[in-house]
Amino acid sequence: MDKLLVDGGFPITGDIRISGAKNAALPALMASLLTSGSVQIGNIPHLQDITTTLEILQHLGAVVQVDEKLAIEVDASELRELRAPYELVRTMRASILVLGPLLSRFGEAEVSLPGGCAIGSRPVNLHIKGLEAMGAEIDIAGGYIRARVPQGRLKGAHIVFDTTTVTGTENLMMAATLADGVTVLDNAAREPEVADLADCLVSMGAIIEGAGSDVIRIKGVESLHDTVHHVIPDRIEAATYLVAAAVTGGRIRVRGIRPIFLDAVVNKLVEAGATVKNSNGGIELYMEGSHINSVDIRTAPFPAFPTDMQAQFVLLNAVSQGTATVTETIFDNRFMHVQELQRMGANIEIAGNTAIVHGVDHLSGAQVMATDLRASACLVLAGLVANGETVIDRIYHIDRGYESIEEKLAQCGARIRRLPSGISSSFQLPK
Ligand code: EPU
């Protein structure tokens, strides 16, 4: 397994172009299953989760073409399968997003239950409950969700989510586009990625109002058609690099993003002592000196502070002056990075769903293990700020969600490189 080697102590200074958002690209690609027309999705990041998505689409029988700019064209006019198998689903939970489109277009679908996850239990009961409310009959047997629509076409329904769910909202929104009648999704997720999927669906002929708010209204149509859609930039990637500059006392500009998506994170960076301003389609961050104020964090659905930035802010607090609490309200087991940070000298206690983080003078490089995508990002940031060399194992997690992270950071002055599997970690970093 590849590792990352980071020699810490160098400020992150420069300019980074932000890639397309993983969590917008995945549902947009799955939306191609709703039509026999060709769906072209641009600004797709080069990531393992995208490869897995394309494997699923191809497994179902879709024809996938990738051009040199990584725009992906999917032709799902003739599918040979309506079943997403365990082997593919277990590597990516977002595979559940095939369920709504397949069921809506073909009246049947089978998807493996996603199984365990490093950040919490993550059930899909709300996806299932919503589809049942729209007339689907669903059995769970042999580890698979088996769904069919006895009357052939889903029916519009008023669905109130017990908990705000991002992929649940996306799955039901896709299902509703071809349903008979009007579907209202209440307590829907307001994440920009949900609104981006709605834009994609509308460009395919869907009738959707209210995406981006907590009530989404979808009027079903008979069929959807061809489209070309470009996914929005990745707000979590951008925010991760802003934190990289903040903790290393650097200066950075992240380009090609929509600053409004980052308000909750930027407010916390300003509270931590950074100077931040919007500039020509980007955000600039400047940190004067090495003093970081500790900042309390509480994760919650958009537009509040994102759970996908929680681990990075645990790290920020670990090297701050003061003590802060970081409370995780979305997932029940998302503190796996804490033990690894403790191995680097961080002073953090866990009390239920809260990490109490006492800032320390410095972290020391160590061998650490990535456990999930955002925990891996946190460990890379820890390596950038620590004294000495950090070796991060199991970085396949980071390849699921950060395009060329070591190249982007190296361009900004980081001493970081990938160590392909089989090479000893005593490998020397270039001076
Ligand atoms: N939940 C249920 N039942 C359901 C669905 C969700 O109880 O049927 C609960 C979950 O267990 C969790 C909460 O609802 O406690 C919110 O989960 P949500 O469904 O919103 O998460 P998700 O859709 O599975 C997406 C992102 C995650 C991101 C979360 C929260 C994608 C592909 N994934 O997951 O991204 O953390 O929303 O914003 O969009 C990541 O990129 O690293 C990542 C994990």
Side-chain angles (χ1 to χ4, degrees), residues 22-23 26 94 119 122-127 163-168 170 191 307-308 330-331 334 373-374:
K22 165 180 85 78
N23 291 347
L26 300 179
I119 62 177
R122 300 184 80 183
V124 290
N125 59 314
L126 301 176
H127 301 232
T163 303
T164 306
T165 158
V166 175
T167 48
E170 292 167 346
E191 269 66 5
T307 173
D308 291 342
I330 305 289
F331 293 113
R334 210 176 197 182
L373 171 56
R374 307 304 169 186

Side-chain angles (χ1 to χ4, degrees), residues 325-342:
T325 56
V326 178
T327 303
E328 172 58 56
T329 75
I330 305 289
F331 293 113
D332 51 25
N333 183 29
R334 210 176 197 182
F335 280 129
M336 302 283 275
H337 41 285
V338 165
Q339 286 172 25
E340 300 303 298
L341 291 176
Q342 284 166 337

